[in-house]
Amino acid sequence: MLVTTANDLPGLRITRTIGVVRGITVRSRNVVSDALGGLQSLVGGRVGAYVKLAEAAREEAYEHLLEQGRAAGADAIIAMRYDANEIMPGITEVLCYGTAVKTEVG
């Protein structure tokens, strides 16, 4: 599955727009990542515990996006974006969305 943040695919022609597809996950922090994150934030710089948590959430949402795209019959997803919202303290929704399309060499 070809996925791009662009609105077109150079070298390919979009033959059909299937529609919006999305992947979503909801993640919570845990005691260990909060403790590590808190310690790392005291010294400043990159907070590795939270980076790892954020990357895992994005990857899970992305995989769900691909599943939806395949199920819809797409061979590409254009205009892919991420969004995140805190549902409540410590619980975050990560959304990955885009437009599923069919393409051909053109």
Side-chain angles (χ1 to χ4, degrees):
M1 173 84 57
L2 181 61
V3 179
T4 183
T5 58
N7 293 324
D8 59 2
L9 298 160
L12 295 175
R13 186 170 69 85
I14 295 172
T15 59
R16 184 166 61 105
T17 299
I18 296 169
V20 175
V21 289
R22 67 186 178 282
I24 187 171
T25 189
V26 176
R27 290 288 185 112
S28 64
R29 297 187 312 245
N30 62 45
V31 174
V32 173
S33 66
D34 274 350
L36 291 173
L39 289 173
Q40 288 176 331
S41 69
L42 292 175
V43 296
R46 185 174 192 264
V47 184
Y50 292 138
V51 170
K52 186 175 179 181
L53 183 64
E55 281 298 324
R58 286 187 193 104
E59 181 64 27
E60 187 174 325
Y62 182 79
E63 289 301 322
H64 288 289
L65 171 78
L66 295 179
E67 289 171 16
Q68 273 216 343
R70 286 186 197 104
D75 57 17
I77 297 172
I78 60 172
M80 189 277 291
R81 304 285 188 269
Y82 285 104
D83 193 12
N85 299 295
E86 189 172 50
I87 294 174
M88 60 186 294
I91 299 178
T92 303
E93 164 201 48
V94 176
L95 174 65
C96 183
Y97 61 95
T99 302
V101 297
K102 290 292 284 184
T103 63
E104 66 182 25
V105 176

